[in-house]
Structure formats: structure tokens, C-alpha cells
Amino acid sequence: MKLSGLLSRTNHELPGVTGVARVDRRVSDLVRRVSPGDVAVFDLVDLDRRTAEALVAAEVVGVVNASPSISGRFPNLGPELLIEAGIPLIDNVGAVALREIKEGTKIRLHEGVVYAGERELAKGVEQNAESIADAMIEAKAGMSAQLEAFSANTIEFLRRERALVLDGVGVPEVYVPMRDRQVLVVAGGPSHAEQLRKLRKYIREYRPVLIGVDTGADTLHDAGYKPDVIVGDPDGIGTASLRAATEVVVPAQTDGHAPGLQRIQDLGIGAVTFPASGNAEDLALLLAEAHGASLVVTVGLRATLREFLDRGHSGSNPSTFLTRLKLGSKLVDGEAVATLHRSRVSMGVIVLLVTAAIAAMVAALAVSGVGHVYVDIVVDAWQSVVNWFKGFFS
């Protein structure tokens, strides 16, 4: 017992970060099953922002990447996000690490080395803010080549999905009416829950069609809204959100295979498939456009140049680029809508100010002793002001 206690104390005092290893070559599958306290182990060149956001949200305690998280092709955003969140990142440990590090075992990360207790399993480079900043500066030199590759991918995607992007061929029918209505599309991007909160007045006033994309559906449901349409893989969406939605659209591969469709069937929820090679966000936008939405407001969708390039290896960026061109002036970022809505002075505020001014004038006239002569005039003037504001805001 004494020896066991000594070993326990020694292991506890070993330096570094300790957690349960979750190992998977497919990062998309890994991020769905990691939990707080886990160490994510995968093989991904150029760690993108979306993956990093999912790892941060899952509260992993460390990340081990078999490949370089910044290859230098372009300044990708994922590593910086992990370091800002205080999550250790050990980089470029080699593909052999995925065999040496066993699923479910307790591992320790310290100074670029992966240990099981005191036994070394793999060794790489522990990234920090300085090393990532230097790598990002060097990576900016690779942007021109990445832009050329992006252009080629866009042309290839347009050849493959021309009918969908240009003519809407293949967009499934939905029963939720969207024609001549505003549509709010919520995806699980950065600060999307906060952005949605800022749009409460807009939602209350305009009552847009609510489309939740992947985890954005859960965000809508958690905020007290009923998603009209959910677009995404049901395996990554909460049961309560799926049951609350009026309709569910499941993206399918071009061969017809739709991940997550089995779960929908097990839950007894009706769904339609959307066969296309684009990502769920783009399919949601195309769905709204094809069904006649007058305006599409987005929350959690990203479309800056760096974000296009950040996901350049995924093959979905051409879809994103062309989809935004397709929607054109119909597409508005939710931050802009929230800012404009906050800056607009409501009729109630104006009426309150006018009321206060007239009340002050009446009080002044009454004090002067001649108020009774002008009361009728003031009342008539007030009624005229009210009628003018009604006409202005109608």
C-alpha cells in the first residue's frame, strides 16, 4: 500500500499536462467524441480554425498533431486559437505516434514530448505564441500559390456543380414558406451565440425563417427559438433540436450516401437529403435563395480572405465563394444587421421625447398664469405631431 501511494504521488507530481488520449486520423470524427479533460491526437496538415474552435469548445487539455499545424502554404488560423485558449499544442510528432499512442490511455504532455507515465511515446515541437507568430509571418509568403490553387479548385467545382449553383437544380423542396420573407441562417462559427443574442429585437420585429446549420441548430434551440429548418449532419445535433425543427435537411454525398440519416430514422423524424459536394452552410444559403428569400442574414458564417484560404485544403471553399456570389446583395452579415438595428431610434423613444417637451411647455404656461388659454392649442399641436410620426414610420 505504501509503494502504491508513493507511485501515485510520483505520477501526480510529474510535470506537464495529463489527459485521456482520443486518437483518430479523421479529425471530423474525433471532434465529435472528445470530452473535457481529453488530449486530442490526430494527423492534420494546417490546423484550421473550425477544428480548433471545436477542440476549444470540447475543453480538451492538449492537442498532439502528427503533421505540421502550420505548413507554410498560407497563414491558417487554428494553432493561434488553441494557444490563446491555453491549450498545449505538440506539433509534427510523426504518423508513428498514432500507433504508439493508444486510444483511452492516460498520457502526459511536457516540453514537446508525449509520455505514458515516464515512458516516452512520441516527440515533436511544442508550439507557443512566439513560434506561431513567426510561422504565420513566413506562411504569408505562400498566399499567392494558395490563391492560384483556390482559383483552379473554384473552376473545377463550378464544372461539377454548375447546375446547382447557377440554376438551383437539386435543391430539395421544403414546406416552410420562404418566398419574399427574410431568412436567418445560424451556423456554429465564432461568437455565434453572442451574435444571435444581439439579434433578438430583429427576430422579434421581422420574424424571419430560422435555419440552423449543424451546431447552430442547438444554439437556436438553447436561445428559446424553434428552428424552422435544420441543415446538417444529425449525428452532431442534439435530439431536442431535431425534434423541435419543422423540417430537417441532411447533406448527402454525390453518391447519395448521407451521414447521420440512420439517426434521423431511429428518432422517427422526417427528413430530406440534399446531394451536393458543398458544406452545410453553403447548402443552407442555396436552399434559402432557391426558395425565394428576400434577404438572408447570417450568424456564425465566415467569408474573409484568410478564412477562405484557411479551409483551402477542404475543397469546400469554392462552394462558399460561389454561393456568396450567387446570393449577392441578398446576403447580409448578422453583425451589420444588429448594429443598424441598435442605431435606429424607435418611434416610442421619439414620442417620449416629444411628450416630455410638451409637458414641460404646458407646465411653464400654467406657472405663468396663461396656460389655460393655450391648452387646446397644445393638444391640437400634439395630435398633429403624433399623426406625422405615424405616417413617417408606417
Side-chain angles (χ1 to χ4, degrees), residues 186-347:
V186 180
S191 307
H192 67 292
E194 176 63 18
Q195 289 182 40
L196 181 62
R197 187 190 66 79
K198 293 177 181 177
L199 289 170
R200 285 182 301 179
K201 291 182 180 178
Y202 160 76
I203 296 172
R204 185 165 59 246
E205 181 174 349
Y206 289 95
R207 299 195 176 278
V209 177
L210 301 178
I211 299 181
V213 180
D214 291 327
T215 56
D218 292 327
T219 302
L220 277 169
H221 186 265
D222 293 344
Y225 301 112
K226 176 183 177 181
D228 294 300
V229 181
I230 289 178
V231 180
D233 183 350
D235 286 340
I237 303 172
T239 301
S241 303
L242 291 169
R243 292 190 183 280
T246 305
E247 294 190 76
V248 178
V249 178
V250 181
Q253 299 171 8
T254 51
D255 61 2
H257 175 64
L261 193 58
Q262 184 61 49
R263 179 167 183 244
I264 283 290
Q265 294 171 348
D266 292 343
L267 291 173
I269 299 172
V272 295
T273 59
F274 194 160
S277 55
N279 59 44
E281 295 174 0
D282 301 334
L283 299 186
L285 297 180
L286 289 172
L287 187 75
E289 199 279 335
H291 286 86
S294 60
L295 188 75
V296 180
V297 179
T298 64
V299 168
L301 275 70
R302 296 150 297 188
T304 66
L305 177 60
R306 286 186 69 187
E307 286 159 348
F308 273 125
L309 298 180
D310 185 39
R311 297 165 65 189
H313 60 278
S314 69
S316 63
N317 285 323
S319 164
T320 301
F321 177 67
L322 292 170
T323 297
R324 280 155 177 73
L325 285 180
K326 172 71 173 177
L327 270 75
S329 59
K330 285 185 180 182
L331 194 64
V332 183
D333 184 75
E335 286 283 0
V337 172
T339 300
L340 291 172
H341 212 263
R342 284 198 306 270
S343 349
R344 192 181 68 186
V345 180
S346 69
M347 180 182 176

Side-chain angles (χ1 to χ4, degrees), residues 20-247:
V20 177
R22 300 299 175 197
V23 186
D24 205 316
R25 291 186 180 275
R26 296 189 59 175
V27 181
S28 58
D29 292 339
L30 180 65
V31 295
R32 290 174 181 164
R33 59 187 184 85
V34 289
S35 304
D38 288 344
V39 176
V41 183
F42 51 78
D43 187 355
L44 178 64
V45 178
D46 293 323
L47 177 60
D48 61 278
R49 180 172 183 167
R50 169 164 294 191
T51 300
E53 286 170 348
L55 294 171
V56 172
E59 300 180 14
V60 300
V61 296
V63 172
V64 177
N65 191 355
S67 295
S69 293
I70 304 178
S71 70
R73 295 185 304 164
F74 60 95
N76 54 304
L77 309 174
E80 187 176 21
L81 188 64
L82 288 180
I83 298 304
E84 287 177 353
I87 298 174
L89 169 61
I90 297 182
D91 223 13
N92 206 17
V93 297
V96 68
L98 275 70
R99 296 194 299 270
E100 294 295 327
I101 304 172
K102 304 301 182 183
E103 170 75 19
T105 60
K106 200 169 190 179
I107 60 175
R108 178 169 58 92
L109 313 182
H110 180 59
E111 295 183 346
V113 181
V114 182
Y115 296 94
E118 297 187 19
R119 183 168 64 92
E120 181 178 316
L121 299 178
K123 187 174 184 179
V125 178
E126 183 165 359
Q127 300 285 6
N128 55 42
E130 291 75 20
S131 65
I132 288 175
D134 292 341
M136 291 288 275
I137 291 172
E138 295 178 6
K140 288 180 181 179
M143 287 188 68
S144 59
Q146 189 67 12
L147 280 171
E148 290 178 9
F150 175 78
S151 300
N153 290 338
T154 300
I155 293 171
E156 177 58 30
F157 178 83
L158 187 56
R159 286 173 180 165
R160 189 171 63 249
E161 298 282 11
R162 180 176 62 252
L164 169 63
V165 176
L166 299 182
D167 302 317
V169 175
V171 176
E173 289 295 328
V174 292
Y175 295 102
V176 174
M178 299 187 199
R179 183 160 301 279
D180 299 326
R181 294 182 64 187
Q182 296 188 24
V183 173
L184 177 64
V185 178
V186 180
S191 307
H192 67 292
E194 176 63 18
Q195 289 182 40
L196 181 62
R197 187 190 66 79
K198 293 177 181 177
L199 289 170
R200 285 182 301 179
K201 291 182 180 178
Y202 160 76
I203 296 172
R204 185 165 59 246
E205 181 174 349
Y206 289 95
R207 299 195 176 278
V209 177
L210 301 178
I211 299 181
V213 180
D214 291 327
T215 56
D218 292 327
T219 302
L220 277 169
H221 186 265
D222 293 344
Y225 301 112
K226 176 183 177 181
D228 294 300
V229 181
I230 289 178
V231 180
D233 183 350
D235 286 340
I237 303 172
T239 301
S241 303
L242 291 169
R243 292 190 183 280
T246 305
E247 294 190 76

